[in-house]
Amino acid sequence: MTALLRYYGALLFRSQRWLPPVLFYVGLVTISLDGQSRLGSQLGWNAAVLVPALAWLTRSLLAAEPPAARACLAAATGTRRPQYAALVIPLAIGLLLVTLAAAVSLLICRVPQNLPLVFGNGLTTGLVCALTGSALGAAGSPPLVRTTAGAAGTLVIGSVLLLVVSASPANAAVRDAFSSDGADGRFPLLPLLAVLPLVVAGWWTSAHAAGRVGAGTGTGTGTGTGTGQEPG
């Protein structure tokens, strides 16, 4: 798995496909920063815009790999393990981005009296939104969605729904972050617990679909060259 993570990290950075979603996120965070913003509201905004940015970044990596390279990896490691490794890299980058954005916000925004609560809530909200964006990116990427038009529709519509529907963990966590400056602020524990099944389902579905594709091409099942049998 370590070798797979290094491979996908190098693939993402060398392809430069990380630039548009990362610049998109940095731009949205930058234009919202000012010295008059409340810290809780700023942290909530930082987390909210991570949902489309991380979904886009996940799609960028999963769509960058040539089919021949994935077939070689599937023959050596199994059909599902590369898919999980490819999902881990964007999630790690998203967590780094939202943490850096929180640190910058702490320096620029007005510091509230209940700073530990506000900052802790903001970081947890960033985690919830990162997991949400990762799940959405997995659902809108190959092998589940192969066309660019289909991916664009999935990511845009999915991001809007996940951020505006009140039942969404991301929406609930962001609302908690925006209210954390006041006396009624609360830790977004329920959104954090609710997003875990969402990301597990998204990752499992993506990896399962990758396994089916690998099985159909003779990798991961031993039906092709006899060298691609996936370990149990």
Side-chain angles (χ1 to χ4, degrees):
M1 182 61 76
T2 302
L4 286 173
L5 293 174
R6 287 200 300 264
Y7 165 74
Y8 280 108
L11 176 64
L12 179 61
F13 283 100
R14 289 176 181 176
S15 68
Q16 297 185 352
R17 291 191 174 211
W18 59 273
L19 276 172
V22 170
L23 292 178
F24 169 77
Y25 179 76
V26 172
L28 289 179
V29 170
T30 301
I31 62 176
S32 66
L33 283 171
D34 61 74
Q36 302 303 316
S37 300
R38 296 187 305 166
L39 181 60
S41 300
Q42 184 61 50
L43 294 177
W45 170 261
N46 296 348
V49 297
L50 185 64
V51 173
L54 185 51
W56 186 2
L57 183 64
T58 302
R59 163 75 190 187
S60 297
L61 176 55
L62 291 177
E65 187 178 22
R70 172 55 71 93
C72 292
L73 288 178
T77 65
T79 54
R80 294 177 176 85
R81 193 173 298 173
Q83 192 75 3
Y84 285 124
L87 291 168
V88 168
I89 294 297
L91 177 59
I93 295 174
L95 292 174
L96 176 62
L97 287 174
V98 77
T99 302
L100 292 176
V104 174
S105 300
L106 182 61
L107 296 175
I108 295 178
C109 297
R110 291 181 298 173
V111 178
Q113 293 182 347
N114 53 344
L115 176 60
L117 173 65
V118 173
F119 199 68
N121 288 5
L123 292 179
T124 306
T125 301
L127 174 60
V128 171
C129 289
L131 294 173
T132 303
S134 181
L136 176 60
S141 301
L144 294 176
V145 179
R146 297 185 177 274
T147 65
T148 302
T154 300
L155 299 187
V156 171
I157 296 174
S159 296
V160 171
L161 292 177
L162 288 170
L163 289 174
V164 303
V165 175
S166 59
S168 165
N171 176 279
V174 170
R175 282 189 282 109
D176 287 342
F178 270 80
S179 64
S180 63
D181 287 292
D184 58 343
R186 54 185 178 178
F187 184 77
L189 178 60
L190 290 180
L192 181 59
L193 295 177
V195 78
L196 294 178
L198 179 66
V199 72
V200 168
W203 281 33
W204 183 88
T205 302
S206 178
H208 183 69
R212 291 175 63 90
V213 171
T217 58
T219 59
T221 61
T223 59
T225 63
T227 62
Q229 186 171 2
E230 183 177 5

